[in-house]
Amino acid sequence: MNLLASMRYLVALSEHKHFGRAAQACHITQPALSNALRSLESEFGVVIVKRARVYVGLTHEGERVLATAQRMLRDNEVLQQELRSEEGHPRGRLRMAAVPTAIPMLSRFAAMLHEMHPGIVPAVLSMSSQELETGLESLSVDLALGYTERMHLPGIKLTAWPQSVEHYFLLRRAAKPSADRLRIGQPISWAEAGQRPLCLLTPDMHNRSIIDQALRDAGIALEPAIETNSVLTLALAVLAGTVSSVLPGSMVAAVRSYRELEALPLVAPEVKTPLGFMTQTGVRPSRALDAALVFLQTPAWREQVRLHSGALGE
């Protein structure tokens, strides 16, 4: 039995919660995955997977094996990167994730990091805040970009690198296109914004809960015109139709080339949300992660954050 491969299959099953999808993700057949897990149970002398026609979860002992499997795979990746990397030239994969509205910032970070270190292969993933928490806890996410005030994992300490304090804007079609790019207009109240047909993220997204709370504070009971789990849809719906949207500065910066749009700072109440990178404290970083943590503290990256997030112009 290949212990490391079997541990990888167990982690895949936990992530996908489906035997067929886990097998597909591991590029093996479903019977091969099931046989490997049975061999793992024989090796440790415990039942790992609850028996049923479909996946229903892991046993208590299985959860303990899973935690060890996650650490083993992480340690293996760290070792592989150390063996392949040279001094000053890190090599290896770096799994990064961000809440949907911070994806433009994370994408810019990944591109600049890869330009500086071509041996690093970043994976940029969009996740809800809850998925980010799970990814940090299971070590399947190396570096997360999300709402630092929300991230509290029981029994696990996180180290945060604050990036920006996000401000919010009403994004709408301009009455007249500007000469070159999106215009930042005069402030508008949340109460006024709430009277417009809005395209917003779905209620399961933390960004939506921030917006809902601001509108409630302004005395508005919201019924969106369009809901989506795609940040691209937010901007495209505004471009193509008659709806507006509410976006943080990092998302507005991503569509600044559209001169047909304008963004109005939202006030009364003034909502500000801290955004930062996070990792699990005490976990030995891979060479790729180590390089990323150094880069995110450089003046060059801090200038990018200043230009492309927050209040946009203050």
Side-chain angles (χ1 to χ4, degrees), residues 202-249:
T202 50
D204 59 306
M205 300 291 186
H206 187 59
N207 169 268
R208 173 64 181 278
S209 68
I210 293 171
I211 294 170
D212 285 351
Q213 185 59 55
L215 289 168
R216 281 195 296 270
D217 291 344
I220 299 296
L222 179 68
E223 291 188 9
I226 301 175
E227 291 183 324
T228 178
N229 63 356
S230 164
V231 292
L232 179 61
T233 300
L234 296 177
L236 292 180
V238 175
L239 271 172
T242 59
V243 297
S244 301
S245 189
V246 175
L247 299 176

Side-chain angles (χ1 to χ4, degrees), residues 129 148 160 295:
S129 292
T148 52
F295 176 61

Side-chain angles (χ1 to χ4, degrees), residues 11-12 60 83 91 99 113 147 155 157 160 167 187 189 201 203 207 212 282 301 309:
V11 170
H60 175 69
L83 294 174
R91 301 182 63 85
V99 293
L113 179 66
Y147 304 106
K157 292 183 178 180
H167 293 57
S189 71
L201 291 176
N207 169 268
D212 285 351
W301 173 246
S309 64

Side-chain angles (χ1 to χ4, degrees), residues 149-190:
E149 62 183 9
R150 173 198 159 95
M151 306 294 275
H152 302 290
L153 297 176
I156 293 178
K157 292 183 178 180
L158 299 177
T159 300
W161 288 264
Q163 295 300 293
S164 68
V165 177
E166 279 296 9
H167 293 57
Y168 291 83
F169 299 79
L170 178 77
L171 185 72
R172 69 182 186 184
R173 287 185 66 87
K176 180 181 179 181
S178 66
D180 52 0
R181 63 175 187 167
L182 175 148
R183 184 177 67 89
I184 303 294
Q186 293 299 311
I188 185 175
S189 71
W190 283 90

Side-chain angles (χ1 to χ4, degrees), residues 262-283:
E262 66 176 352
L264 311 180
L266 282 160
V267 295
E270 189 170 2
V271 180
K272 298 179 180 180
T273 308
L275 197 68
F277 281 108
M278 289 161 282
T279 60
Q280 190 180 139
T281 305
V283 175

Side-chain angles (χ1 to χ4, degrees), residues 2 16 36 48 70 76-77 95 172 185 214 237 312:
N2 185 324
H16 293 278
I48 293 174
Q70 291 164 339
N76 179 67
E77 176 62 25
R95 190 174 171 91
R172 69 182 186 184
L312 298 180

